[in-house]
Amino acid sequence: MTEFFQAHLGYGFGWFLATLILILMIALPLMLAVAMIIYADRKIWAAMALRRGPNVVGPFGLLQSFADGLKVFLQETIIPSAANRGLFLIAPVITFTVALVAWAVIPFGPGMVLADINVGLLYILAVSSLGVYGVILAGWASNSKYPFYSSIRAAAQMVSYEVSIGFVLISVVLWAGTFNLSGIIDAQRAHIFGIINGFGFNPLLFPMAVIFLISAMAETARAPFDLTEAESEIVAGYQTEYSSMSFALFWLGEYGNVLLMCALNAVLFWGGWLPPIDWAPLYAIPGIFWFFLKIFIFFFIFSWVKATVPRFRYDQLMRLGWKIFLPLSLFWVFLVSGWLMVTRYGV
Amino acid sequence: MGTELIQTIAFYLFASLVIASGALTIVARNPVHSVLWLILAFFNAAGLMLLVGAEFIAMLLVIVYVGAVAVLFLFVVMMLDIDFAELRAGFAQYLPFGMLLVIVLAAEMIFAVAAWNAGGVEFAQRLAPTPSEVPNIQALGTLIYTRYLYIFEGAGLVLLVALIGAIVLTHRKRGDVRVQNVTRQNMRRPEEAIRKVDAPVGQGVQL
């Protein structure tokens, strides 16, 4: 597409327009997906609590998220008089933007990626570590006790779990031999016995897949690790002082991050857009279908956990991150690299 | 109109933002604002790294400095109660020392650039840090893990010592805190935790 625009509009302008259109082609469906996934989340949660969930707006309540969106859009934006005005307003924008920006390197199908860069995985790690700034700034700029507690909690929590996520990513990269996400998916083709696609089916990498799934929940502050917005302790956490669109941006950003983590689970361990079995007829179904199916399965797991597992205490959260996941994933990096040394490089 | 124009625009954007946010880091009245300007400076420096083709260094800059160091920095600064007016009162006192530092740094930079220019490195090679067909990470890895292996491991050792030192300095055992033994908690069964008592009326239960 870039070539087509460049042929007709000149090099620079064609490139600019093509990139802009590609960005919109990712961002707009993503926003729609977030709206539907919020609905799905509420429905799954309701079903597990033997309730009906949203069922009034539109058929089966499908339009509930749009009604909510319209409602917050029409509300008044309240800025506390003691708040740090500029930072208070920019914090939700940071959360929302960071949640969108990471999608640039996710491959949706063979060749369907906006930026196919060599350091794709590092880019994801860099962008996801930026996400915490929105939360910290919101808590500090609100100039209020509970939001501040929440932002301190969020900072410690995200820094802690990023460490073990880093080690998990290293073992995947060691096995795939590249940081490029498309390259990682290609390395998973016919990984087990020459027919099954996906690192997750490898007994040596499966524990890492589990650690990554749990760390992803902690990193996105989803239940059972939602201590940043634990309503029984700190009201609504960093969002307490926010209203209308600034609140909605936090909400959208949060679910965008959850979807991103589900997509990363699919890409890193379960073959991304590859079908689960390396069998020619399955490739007739477009890759994007498999990818979305995997994302949805992971989202279902996220919802399931949210509906059934009670919230962690803060010291338990820190214990899990530093005393269990960190040593375990560090040990596993040694194990994986040792295994690869012996089997692949023969040293 | 081509890639060069886009790169030139990007370079001047990043470079001017680095300088501006660097200056604002010093000038800002609020320490939290200072740290935030510093973060913006890191971020734009990463953009400059990208432009010269050092994408690995750029990503590391964002992950390590913006993602971890600056978060902890912000964490500490937010909880401190610093009176900047008081700090600024000592400005004239520290000015000569600061100027000396600036002169030394500037002299070193000029010296380094001059030495580099005098050296035999080809101009085209200076612009591209790695041969373009080898990925950045691979090029760095082959150097670090072969030629500079001992220096690299030495650096790792220094960091390890610093890590252990920090733990030794701050770790203290407190006798007055009840710490939960997680394994023991998990091993507990209802039978040992609950007991049924037939309490006589008006006497209560002995705990």
Side-chain angles (χ1 to χ4, degrees):
Chain A
M1 189 165 120
T2 315
E3 283 81 33
F4 171 79
F5 275 98
Q6 281 176 341
H8 289 82
L9 293 166
Y11 191 88
F13 189 63
W15 170 84
F16 177 75
L17 206 66
T19 310
L20 202 68
I21 291 172
L22 284 174
I23 289 172
L24 286 180
M25 270 170 67
I26 294 178
L28 294 181
L30 185 66
M31 282 298 92
L32 197 68
V34 165
M36 293 326 290
I37 219 82
I38 290 174
Y39 165 78
D41 193 22
R42 294 174 67 176
K43 269 291 192 197
I44 294 167
W45 200 3
M48 290 195 190
L50 297 179
R51 291 181 285 115
R52 281 176 185 278
N55 63 349
V56 175
V57 191
F60 309 107
L62 272 169
L63 300 176
Q64 181 66 47
S65 298
F66 300 100
D68 289 343
L70 195 66
K71 185 193 76 180
V72 291
F73 189 69
L74 294 173
Q75 279 173 342
E76 182 195 355
T77 307
I78 298 166
I79 303 174
S81 54
N84 194 317
R85 221 181 147 81
L87 289 180
F88 184 83
L89 287 177
I90 212 170
V93 178
I94 291 176
T95 306
F96 181 70
T97 318
V98 164
L100 284 186
V101 157
W103 287 87
V105 295
I106 299 281
F108 292 94
M112 282 170 71
V113 50
L114 178 62
D116 199 17
I117 54 176
N118 279 334
V119 286
L121 206 51
L122 286 177
Y123 172 84
I124 296 252
L125 208 58
V127 168
S128 73
S129 65
L130 290 181
V132 70
Y133 280 109
V135 176
I136 296 185
L137 289 183
W140 184 78
S142 296
N143 202 356
S144 166
K145 271 198 195 67
Y146 292 128
F148 187 61
Y149 283 147
S150 161
S151 68
I152 295 279
R153 281 183 176 192
Q157 178 176 340
M158 288 184 193
V159 169
S160 311
Y161 279 84
E162 236 155 52
V163 182
S164 52
I165 283 187
F167 283 126
V168 171
L169 296 188
I170 284 175
S171 57
V172 170
V173 166
L174 278 173
W175 209 293
T178 174
F179 274 98
N180 181 309
L181 288 180
S182 306
I184 288 174
I185 291 177
D186 271 336
Q188 298 181 45
R189 197 186 291 268
H191 182 62
I192 301 290
F193 307 133
I195 48 164
I196 303 173
N197 298 328
F199 282 150
F201 296 105
N202 182 338
L204 205 52
L205 286 175
F206 180 72
M208 295 307 251
V210 175
I211 291 181
F212 187 72
L213 181 66
I214 299 173
S215 299
M217 284 175 199
E219 184 75 5
T220 50
R222 278 282 288 194
F225 307 109
D226 56 343
L227 283 135
T228 54
E229 42 201 276
E231 69 280 340
S232 55
E233 302 159 26
I234 46 175
V235 196
Y238 60 95
Q239 304 166 341
T240 306
E241 306 290 346
Y242 282 87
S243 59
S244 86
M245 272 319 273
S246 51
F247 172 74
L249 282 182
F250 271 128
W251 221 34
L252 292 175
E254 213 171 274
Y255 273 91
N257 271 329
V258 169
L259 275 184
L260 179 76
M261 280 300 173
C262 295
L264 268 185
N265 266 301
V267 166
L268 293 176
F269 289 103
W270 307 99
W273 43 262
L274 291 170
I277 293 169
D278 194 35
W279 182 48
L282 287 179
Y283 284 97
I285 301 169
I288 196 161
F289 167 78
W290 291 113
F291 188 53
F292 284 167
L293 181 73
K294 285 169 187 173
I295 290 182
F296 190 77
I297 289 173
F298 277 107
F299 187 77
F300 181 77
I301 295 175
F302 269 57
S303 283
W304 186 5
V305 169
K306 180 182 177 177
T308 47
V309 181
R311 184 179 291 136
F312 269 54
R313 220 168 46 207
Y314 202 75
D315 62 313
Q316 291 171 332
L317 177 87
M318 285 294 146
R319 179 174 171 271
L320 185 68
W322 289 107
K323 290 188 178 170
I324 298 176
F325 280 0
L326 178 62
L328 201 64
S329 53
L330 187 58
F331 174 69
W332 229 263
V333 170
F334 279 107
L335 208 64
V336 167
S337 50
W339 173 262
L340 287 176
M341 264 316 239
V342 172
T343 56
R344 193 182 292 176
Y345 302 106
V347 179
Chain B
M1 192 100 167
T3 25
E4 273 146 48
L5 181 74
I6 297 166
Q7 281 195 334
T8 314
I9 293 173
F11 172 77
Y12 281 109
L13 181 75
F14 289 141
S16 53
L17 276 174
V18 169
I19 294 170
S21 46
L24 281 164
T25 307
I26 306 167
V27 178
R29 281 172 172 275
N30 193 324
V32 173
H33 290 180
S34 252
V35 177
L36 290 174
W37 287 119
L38 185 68
I39 291 164
L40 193 64
F42 282 147
F43 209 69
N44 285 296
L48 286 177
M49 296 285 182
L50 272 185
L51 283 183
V52 294
E55 73 258 15
F56 181 62
I57 304 287
M59 290 303 149
L60 276 198
L61 193 65
V62 176
I63 293 172
V64 175
Y65 282 92
V66 180
V69 174
V71 170
L72 298 179
F73 212 47
L74 202 62
F75 198 93
V76 173
V77 168
M78 275 178 177
M79 290 197 283
L80 291 179
D81 187 22
I82 305 174
D83 187 2
F84 252 46
E86 203 175 300
L87 278 180
R88 206 153 285 174
F91 183 69
Q93 193 187 338
Y94 296 119
L95 193 62
F97 183 67
M99 289 307 279
L100 189 72
L101 219 63
V102 165
I103 290 167
V104 168
L105 276 179
E108 272 183 351
M109 255 158 82
I110 292 166
F111 191 69
V113 170
W116 195 38
N117 272 328
V121 188
E122 295 256 336
F123 190 69
Q125 221 175 336
R126 277 185 225 157
L127 291 181
T130 61
S132 57
E133 67 274 9
V134 181
N136 227 286
I137 302 172
Q138 223 169 324
L140 210 63
T142 43
L143 268 187
I144 286 180
Y145 293 111
T146 54
R147 199 196 289 179
Y148 301 115
L149 181 64
Y150 293 115
I151 300 175
F152 181 65
E153 292 198 331
L157 213 61
V158 170
L159 282 177
L160 183 67
V161 170
L163 188 87
I164 295 172
I167 293 173
V168 168
L169 282 178
T170 52
H171 188 258
R172 59 190 170 126
K173 272 232 179 301
R174 287 172 58 182
D176 56 337
V177 202
R178 272 168 55 120
V179 181
Q180 196 178 39
N181 185 340
V182 179
T183 336
R184 243 188 71 206
Q185 283 291 330
N186 288 339
M187 301 262 286
R188 274 181 95 182
R189 296 277 78 91
E191 299 85 61
E192 11 172 326
I194 301 171
R195 104 192 121 96
K196 263 177 106 174
V197 183
D198 210 359
V201 179
Q203 285 183 22
V205 184
Q206 177 110 43
L207 281 174

